[in-house]
Short mmCIF file of all heavy atoms in Angstrom, two decimals:
data_model
loop_
_atom_site.label_atom_id
_atom_site.label_comp_id
_atom_site.label_asym_id
_atom_site.label_seq_id
_atom_site.Cartn_x
_atom_site.Cartn_y
_atom_site.Cartn_z
N GLU G 281 26.37 3.52 8.75
CA GLU G 281 25.19 4.24 9.24
C GLU G 281 25.19 5.69 8.76
O GLU G 281 24.13 6.27 8.52
CB GLU G 281 25.14 4.18 10.77
CG GLU G 281 24.78 2.79 11.29
CD GLU G 281 24.57 2.77 12.79
OE1 GLU G 281 24.02 3.75 13.33
OE2 GLU G 281 24.97 1.78 13.43
N GLU G 282 26.37 6.27 8.61
CA GLU G 282 26.47 7.64 8.09
C GLU G 282 25.94 7.70 6.65
O GLU G 282 25.28 8.67 6.27
CB GLU G 282 27.93 8.10 8.12
CG GLU G 282 28.10 9.56 7.72
CD GLU G 282 29.55 10.02 7.80
OE1 GLU G 282 30.32 9.42 8.58
OE2 GLU G 282 29.90 10.97 7.09
N LYS G 283 26.22 6.65 5.90
CA LYS G 283 25.72 6.57 4.52
C LYS G 283 24.20 6.47 4.51
O LYS G 283 23.53 7.08 3.66
CB LYS G 283 26.33 5.36 3.81
CG LYS G 283 25.98 5.25 2.34
CD LYS G 283 26.72 4.10 1.68
CE LYS G 283 26.40 4.05 0.19
NZ LYS G 283 27.14 2.97 -0.51
N VAL G 284 23.64 5.72 5.44
CA VAL G 284 22.19 5.59 5.55
C VAL G 284 21.56 6.96 5.80
O VAL G 284 20.59 7.34 5.13
CB VAL G 284 21.80 4.61 6.69
CG1 VAL G 284 20.29 4.65 6.94
CG2 VAL G 284 22.26 3.20 6.36
N LEU G 285 22.13 7.71 6.73
CA LEU G 285 21.60 9.03 7.05
C LEU G 285 21.76 10.01 5.89
O LEU G 285 20.97 10.94 5.74
CB LEU G 285 22.29 9.58 8.31
CG LEU G 285 21.89 8.90 9.63
CD1 LEU G 285 22.79 9.37 10.75
CD2 LEU G 285 20.43 9.19 9.96
N ARG G 286 22.78 9.81 5.09
CA ARG G 286 23.03 10.69 3.93
C ARG G 286 22.04 10.40 2.79
O ARG G 286 21.58 11.32 2.10
CB ARG G 286 24.47 10.52 3.44
CG ARG G 286 24.86 11.54 2.37
CD ARG G 286 26.30 11.42 1.95
NE ARG G 286 26.57 10.21 1.18
CZ ARG G 286 27.23 9.16 1.61
NH1 ARG G 286 27.70 9.14 2.85
NH2 ARG G 286 27.43 8.11 0.83
N LEU G 287 21.71 9.13 2.61
CA LEU G 287 20.85 8.74 1.49
C LEU G 287 19.35 8.81 1.80
O LEU G 287 18.54 8.96 0.89
CB LEU G 287 21.20 7.32 1.04
CG LEU G 287 22.56 7.11 0.38
CD1 LEU G 287 22.83 5.63 0.13
CD2 LEU G 287 22.65 7.89 -0.93
N LEU G 288 19.01 8.71 3.07
CA LEU G 288 17.59 8.71 3.45
C LEU G 288 16.83 9.95 2.96
O LEU G 288 15.73 9.80 2.40
CB LEU G 288 17.44 8.56 4.96
CG LEU G 288 17.22 7.14 5.49
CD1 LEU G 288 17.24 7.13 7.01
CD2 LEU G 288 15.90 6.56 4.98
N PRO G 289 17.36 11.16 3.13
CA PRO G 289 16.62 12.34 2.65
C PRO G 289 16.33 12.30 1.15
O PRO G 289 15.25 12.71 0.71
CB PRO G 289 17.55 13.51 3.00
CG PRO G 289 18.39 13.00 4.12
CD PRO G 289 18.61 11.55 3.82
N GLU G 290 17.28 11.79 0.36
CA GLU G 290 17.08 11.70 -1.08
C GLU G 290 15.97 10.70 -1.40
O GLU G 290 15.12 10.96 -2.27
CB GLU G 290 18.38 11.26 -1.77
CG GLU G 290 19.54 12.23 -1.61
CD GLU G 290 20.83 11.70 -2.22
OE1 GLU G 290 20.76 10.68 -2.95
OE2 GLU G 290 21.89 12.30 -1.98
N ALA G 291 15.98 9.57 -0.71
CA ALA G 291 14.95 8.55 -0.92
C ALA G 291 13.58 9.08 -0.51
O ALA G 291 12.58 8.89 -1.22
CB ALA G 291 15.29 7.29 -0.14
N ILE G 292 13.52 9.74 0.64
CA ILE G 292 12.26 10.29 1.14
C ILE G 292 11.70 11.33 0.16
O ILE G 292 10.49 11.36 -0.11
CB ILE G 292 12.45 10.92 2.53
CG1 ILE G 292 12.76 9.82 3.56
CG2 ILE G 292 11.22 11.71 2.95
CD1 ILE G 292 13.22 10.35 4.90
#
Side-chain angles (χ1 to χ4, degrees):
E281 288 186 37
E282 185 178 335
K283 185 175 183 178
V284 172
L285 288 171
R286 188 176 71 252
L287 292 174
L288 265 174
E290 297 176 12
I292 292 169

